[in-house]
Amino acid sequence: MAELHLGQVLEYRGDALVEGPEAVSHRRRGGMLIDGGMIAAVGEADDLRDAHPQAEIVDHGDHLLSPGFVDAHVHYPQTAIIASWGKRLIDWLNTYTFPEEISFADPAHAEDIATRYLDLALMNGTTSMCSYCTIHPASVEAFFTAAKARGMRAAAGKTCMDRHAPEALRDTPQSAYDDSRVLLQKWHGTGRLSYVITPRFSPTSSADQLCALGALWAEHPDCLMQTHLSEQVDEIAWVRELYPTARDYLDTYETYGLLGENALYGHAIHLEPREADRIKEIGAALIHCPTSNTFIGSGLFDWPTRLAEGQQIGLATDTGGGSSFSMLRTMAAAYEIGQLTHQPLHPAQLWWLATQGSAQSMRMGDKIGALAPGMEADFIAVDLASTLAISQRVARAEDIWEAIFPTIMMGDDRAIAGTWVAGKRLH
Ligand code: GUN
Ligand code: ZN
């Protein structure tokens, strides 16, 4: 039976990253008709009630109905090592990340962490994500199996590494190609799942491996490709040593067929002008991971330059280099980095980044990340007064954005009153 969800509603009319709040309309008393896992109608509560008298009413009162959050770069296998102290990127990988990723050779461990991660994501209002797995096919199986059981639209891939990692975490160019291909053929397009070709980053892949994965992508160009780009200064210097003939970091991917419009480049902090120009020209996405960039000490995403270039940008937690599972906390960190780079991001821009911006970066903007007829019914009900600190500030709010901003800056999983995936309540 159709359900009519009533509450405050945000609808996107354009690109809010570019146009700001003008691109978003707000209904104080709006609603959404959900039928068969899809959004069938959005409008004023009274109009929808009149038009659909048979629908079951779910009244969310003052809560804000929003698209579920979309996390465009996360490492689910790092769930249990989030908030590990004191290291910068390469040491952090060697000290905390790689030892934990070795455990994913055990399918039972992979299943346990995939379940834990997805529960945490849903509790934080995240309904879709693009995740790295480990080199083990079992880690991909575990993630997709858990996401499928929840009916989620999710993307993920086997992380490929054939050097500069512990022996137990190394594949080869051929096995990376073969294993990725088998997983892709099994999972890509199965239900709401999609496969992502995933070379971890140039330091842990030989040229032969990048080349093999570039060939796989050329055979399956509708797949996404995710990797890391220009995250930390020491890392960039290392890439220069490892690939002495490359023009820059991006060129290590470009040369081997790993530059394309379905690419997602995580971090992209210290870009050279040529790299930024090429990415813009191709239309690939830059994925901003602000809590990670501060936590691991990577640097400040150049908001003014990237916005002026008109780049496709998504937002991500980068769990567990990132220090939170919450896209609210992630929006707050993006705002702070905006401030530090003299580009104060409007709440409308932040909310867009965490929903439609990330969805577009994953080439799923026509399915998720907005509340509109024909979209899949992945949505959340947000309590805009979830704590005393927030509610006392909201009491003075003069418009919807002033009412939302305290939740962006101070909110956490307590603000997520409910999470629905394909119309079904999962949290
Ligand atoms: N670069 C290569 N691998 C990783 C990772 O797991 N996390 C982060 N933040 N950066 C990386
Ligand atoms: Zn990452």
Side-chain angles (χ1 to χ4, degrees):
M1 177 155 122
E3 286 182 357
L4 185 52
H5 289 256
L6 306 178
Q8 303 198 64
V9 176
L10 290 182
E11 281 171 276
Y12 298 131
R13 305 273 175 220
D15 183 334
L17 185 61
V18 174
E19 299 162 42
E22 304 306 312
V24 187
S25 67
H26 167 242
R27 295 179 199 275
R28 185 74 191 75
R29 191 66 186 150
M32 262 188 331
L33 185 73
I34 308 298
D35 199 2
M38 306 291 287
I39 300 175
V42 180
E44 288 298 320
D46 289 344
D47 297 346
L48 288 168
R49 266 186 211 268
D50 291 348
H52 306 280
Q54 76 294 353
E56 185 183 330
I57 304 282
V58 185
D59 195 338
H60 299 275
D62 267 350
H63 290 174
L64 177 71
L65 297 177
S66 160
F69 297 132
V70 181
D71 188 344
H73 179 129
V74 51
H75 299 254
Y76 97 80
Q78 297 170 14
T79 295
I81 56 128
I82 193 168
S84 291
W85 184 85
K87 304 285 182 190
R88 294 171 69 87
L89 180 59
I90 305 304
D91 284 345
W92 175 84
L93 286 170
N94 288 318
T95 308
Y96 299 120
T97 308
F98 290 161
E100 173 62 12
E101 291 193 8
I102 288 172
S103 319
F104 284 71
D106 174 8
H109 182 70
E111 199 182 309
D112 179 29
I113 302 293
T115 299
R116 190 187 306 176
Y117 165 73
L118 289 175
D119 288 348
L120 283 161
L122 291 166
M123 185 186 300
N124 280 284
T126 298
T127 47
S128 286
M129 66 286 299
C130 193
S131 185
Y132 289 66
C133 299
T134 65
I135 71 147
H136 313 95
S139 72
V140 182
E141 295 285 341
F143 180 82
F144 279 142
T145 301
K148 189 176 173 208
R150 289 160 179 75
M152 297 171 71
R153 182 164 290 287
K158 173 193 131 69
T159 296
C160 300
M161 297 197 271
D162 67 347
R163 62 173 176 173
H164 301 133
E167 175 69 38
L169 278 187
R170 270 184 262 155
D171 49 20
T172 67
Q174 190 64 46
S175 72
Y177 175 92
D178 292 342
D179 289 348
S180 300
R181 187 162 164 272
V182 167
L183 290 163
L184 185 162
Q185 285 172 341
K186 175 170 176 188
W187 292 105
H188 189 59
T190 297
R192 304 181 74 199
L193 306 175
S194 47
Y195 191 80
V196 191
I197 294 167
T198 308
R200 180 173 219 123
F201 67 156
S202 296
T204 51
S205 286
S206 64
D208 282 352
Q209 181 165 83
L210 295 180
C211 193
L213 294 173
L216 182 63
W217 198 20
E219 289 154 20
H220 301 277
D222 62 315
C223 281
L224 298 172
M225 191 288 299
Q226 63 183 346
T227 190
H228 297 85
L229 178 67
S230 291
E231 180 176 1
Q232 219 162 73
V233 173
D234 297 355
E235 170 210 11
I236 297 167
W238 193 22
V239 169
R240 203 172 290 124
E241 279 171 37
L242 293 170
Y243 290 90
T245 58
R247 287 171 289 181
D248 45 43
Y249 197 154
L250 183 70
D251 201 30
T252 64
Y253 298 130
E254 190 170 353
T255 301
Y256 300 107
L258 295 170
L259 174 66
E261 70 170 334
N262 290 341
L264 296 95
Y265 297 103
H267 305 278
I269 299 170
H270 311 280
L271 293 184
E272 302 287 343
R274 191 202 79 87
E275 296 177 298
D277 289 350
R278 266 314 263 151
I279 289 167
K280 170 65 188 165
E281 188 178 316
I282 294 288
L286 303 178
I287 308 302
H288 180 39
C289 307
T291 70
S292 170
N293 298 344
T294 52
F295 183 76
I296 311 187
S298 302
L300 303 179
F301 186 77
D302 188 349
W303 271 113
T305 306
R306 304 289 88 92
L307 281 185
E309 289 163 353
Q311 301 278 5
Q312 175 69 52
I313 301 172
L315 187 67
T317 60
D318 190 29
T319 298
S323 54
S324 176
F325 295 95
S326 169
M327 290 297 283
L328 292 170
R329 171 78 190 93
T330 304
M331 285 185 242
Y335 175 76
E336 289 165 349
I337 289 175
Q339 284 287 60
L340 288 167
T341 55
H342 304 279
Q343 184 74 56
L345 295 167
H346 190 276
Q349 292 176 297
L350 295 165
W351 210 271
W352 166 272
L353 281 165
T355 53
Q356 184 59 203
S358 283
Q360 285 186 5
S361 298
M362 290 169 64
R363 310 293 162 201
M364 297 171 181
D366 58 341
K367 298 184 178 68
I368 56 169
L371 303 183
M375 303 289 282
E376 296 169 352
D378 293 352
F379 62 97
I380 53 179
V382 184
D383 178 357
L384 296 176
S386 61
T387 67
L388 178 58
I390 294 172
S391 66
Q392 60 89 38
R393 175 62 185 89
V394 170
R396 291 202 182 178
E398 290 184 356
D399 65 23
I400 182 62
W401 296 116
E402 235 189 289
I404 288 176
F405 193 54
T407 288
I408 290 178
M409 293 311 300
M410 296 189 279
D412 54 31
D413 55 295
R414 289 170 290 180
I416 309 302
T419 304
W420 284 257
V421 169
K424 230 171 92 182
R425 186 167 191 166
L426 292 190
H427 165 67

